[in-house]
Amino acid sequence: MERQYQSTLSEIDAIMQQARLGAARLDGVCRVLQSLPGYTGVYLYALEGDMLVLKGFHGRATEHTRIPGGQGICGASVQTRAPVIVDDVHSDSRYLACNLQTRSEIVVPIMRGDAYLAQIDVDSDNAASFGARDKAFLAEVAARLLPLF
């Protein structure tokens, strides 16, 4: 898996250099991430005021295009200013259900210093799909996306 993460980071670097518009870059990054095993849906939200606003996604569409910063697993990341990993979303009362197949979720913030700017939200149809490697990998992706926010 480490080789696949490195390959994906290289693809993201190429997207960040080639795509001219921020939206094209975000869509490209979501597409590349969603191709990873277990990454069923990838969503990028920007924090605008106290609202998380969907800026790009790949995989299953979501009805949650705007999420109050204190709601759901995404909102929990905003409140704690930290990554959140949920092994079984159906047993977590914070989960904002948008797909019955989703079993686990990881949210990794994109921050500049103490400022919470955006987040990477990944869903998986597999329980306990995410761990420390995914968290570290997505933190690397977040660092690459920082200039867009």
Side-chain angles (χ1 to χ4, degrees):
M1 190 64 158
E2 293 300 322
R3 177 178 285 156
Q4 191 164 22
Y5 284 155
Q6 288 304 318
S7 174
T8 301
L9 288 173
S10 294
E11 287 184 64
I12 290 170
D13 290 341
I15 289 167
M16 294 297 288
Q17 292 173 2
Q18 294 171 0
R20 293 185 184 165
L21 301 174
R25 289 178 182 169
L26 294 177
D27 288 341
V29 169
C30 288
R31 177 185 44 78
V32 168
L33 289 174
Q34 197 265 330
S35 70
L36 290 170
Y39 284 45
T40 307
V42 177
Y43 310 89
L44 293 172
Y45 289 93
L47 186 61
E48 297 179 1
D50 65 349
M51 187 73 60
L52 289 164
V53 179
L54 185 66
K55 296 296 183 178
F57 78 94
H58 204 271
R60 293 189 186 110
T62 179
E63 64 191 56
H64 302 291
T65 58
R66 297 177 67 80
I67 302 171
Q71 290 187 7
I73 295 166
C74 291
S77 176
V78 173
Q79 289 180 327
T80 63
R81 307 184 103 52
V84 176
I85 297 175
V86 177
D87 290 338
D88 181 4
V89 296
H90 299 291
S91 67
D92 192 312
S93 62
R94 302 172 297 182
Y95 180 62
L96 298 175
C98 62
N99 190 304
L100 294 176
Q101 290 87 2
T102 299
R103 294 292 310 276
S104 59
E105 183 173 4
I106 184 172
V107 179
V108 175
I110 300 171
M111 298 181 67
R112 182 175 292 118
D114 291 335
Y116 196 107
L117 304 176
Q119 63 183 219
I120 304 166
D121 175 26
V122 183
D123 292 348
S124 178
D125 289 354
N126 305 315
S129 190
F130 307 110
R133 285 183 180 164
D134 297 281
K135 185 168 74 170
F137 165 70
L138 291 172
E140 286 288 330
V141 174
R144 285 163 164 80
L145 293 177
L146 185 60
L148 300 179
F149 294 99

